[in-house]
Amino acid sequence: MSVLRLKLPTDPRWVNIVEKNIEEILTDHAWCEQKAATNAITIITNNSEHQDLVKDLLALAKEEIDHFEQVHNIIIKRGLKLGRERKDDYVNELYLYMKKSGDRSRVSSLVERLLFSAMIEARSCERFKVLSENIKDEELSVFYRDLMESEAGHYTTFITYARKYGVGIDVEKRWREWLEFEESVIANYGKGETIHG
């Protein structure tokens, strides 16, 4: 996962926690996909002048909703229930960091939102890889392997547009700052049966 440049890998033992409560990880995962779709729509709404970004993020939003449906289908197939939406403390910490950063110009706001999105996709991709390689449930192992590749594509989309539209911003420097911050945040997680928990 060196391509993602994450500084702190997930301990594979996290999967042992997940396996004790498959219903919880599936519910949390479903809502993560829904929020990812909503986030893409929000970026489109606020930056509709960028035709290429709108086109690519519409496709991304559709894919996220498709993932939501796939997770929901697994929940139904297993006789489980989609629980209520879960609070994601990890994402909330990243969100607060995003709000405090930048000079609040439209360009800065777009770059920050794209890097925030890329960060979540990068960590989700890494978590899916850990799940696919360590979970004993064969169906879920294959499922998370497939999703991992998709999340990597989403990460690339967000980073590419941050670089393209971040005129006057040192996007590489800012991304390094995001990676440093994320390392300090994720160090407190990996103890719960949620995607970022």
Side-chain angles (χ1 to χ4, degrees):
M1 291 275 99
S2 58
V3 67
L4 300 173
R5 292 163 59 189
L6 295 172
K7 295 188 169 292
L8 189 63
T10 297
D11 186 331
R13 289 175 296 181
W14 164 69
V15 178
N16 300 335
I17 298 166
V18 167
E19 287 178 318
K20 288 176 185 149
N21 197 343
I22 295 292
E23 186 167 19
E24 181 60 27
I25 188 84
L26 290 173
T27 283
D28 180 70
H29 179 193
W31 290 114
C32 284
E33 299 291 358
Q34 179 272 324
K35 289 172 199 165
T38 301
N39 179 59
I41 296 294
T42 298
I43 295 171
I44 290 168
T45 304
N46 294 333
N47 302 278
S48 54
E49 68 274 20
H50 300 307
Q51 194 173 54
D52 53 352
L53 179 142
V54 170
K55 187 169 173 290
D56 284 347
L57 289 198
L58 274 172
L60 189 150
K62 286 179 189 171
E63 203 166 81
E64 300 288 19
I65 284 296
D66 180 57
H67 293 168
F68 186 6
E69 184 178 27
Q70 286 180 48
V71 182
H72 190 231
N73 287 342
I74 290 172
I75 289 170
I76 293 167
K77 183 174 145 190
R78 293 180 176 222
L80 305 174
K81 283 202 167 60
L82 174 66
R84 300 292 296 172
E85 182 185 347
R86 304 297 194 253
K87 191 174 149 202
D88 193 326
D89 293 325
Y90 164 82
V91 170
N92 288 339
E93 286 192 56
L94 296 185
Y95 183 78
L96 290 171
Y97 179 68
M98 171 184 67
K99 285 180 74 175
K100 288 178 194 162
S101 336
D103 59 13
R104 307 321 311 144
S105 69
R106 276 183 58 76
V107 170
S108 173
S109 294
L110 173 58
V111 168
E112 284 298 304
R113 189 69 183 223
L114 290 169
L115 294 182
F116 160 77
S117 305
M119 192 79 260
I120 297 166
E121 296 288 351
R123 181 55 70 181
S124 298
C125 179
E126 189 259 359
R127 285 284 167 101
F128 291 167
K129 182 175 192 287
V130 172
L131 277 167
S132 73
E133 291 175 350
N134 296 281
I135 201 162
K136 293 180 185 75
D137 186 310
E138 201 172 321
E139 180 189 26
L140 292 182
S141 174
V142 172
F143 179 62
Y144 282 112
R145 164 67 58 182
D146 291 344
L147 286 196
M148 177 193 82
E149 292 164 9
S150 176
E151 300 296 305
H154 296 172
Y155 154 80
T156 303
T157 297
F158 288 124
I159 285 281
T160 300
Y161 278 113
R163 288 175 181 143
K164 178 170 184 177
Y165 288 117
V167 179
I169 295 171
D170 188 340
V171 175
E172 286 310 309
K173 176 174 178 285
R174 187 66 194 123
W175 182 236
R176 287 194 297 274
E177 291 168 359
W178 267 97
L179 288 164
E180 293 283 346
F181 178 73
E182 198 269 350
E183 180 184 20
S184 71
V185 171
I186 202 67
N188 301 313
Y189 293 89
K191 303 170 190 81
E193 58 278 322
T194 57
I195 295 298
H196 303 121

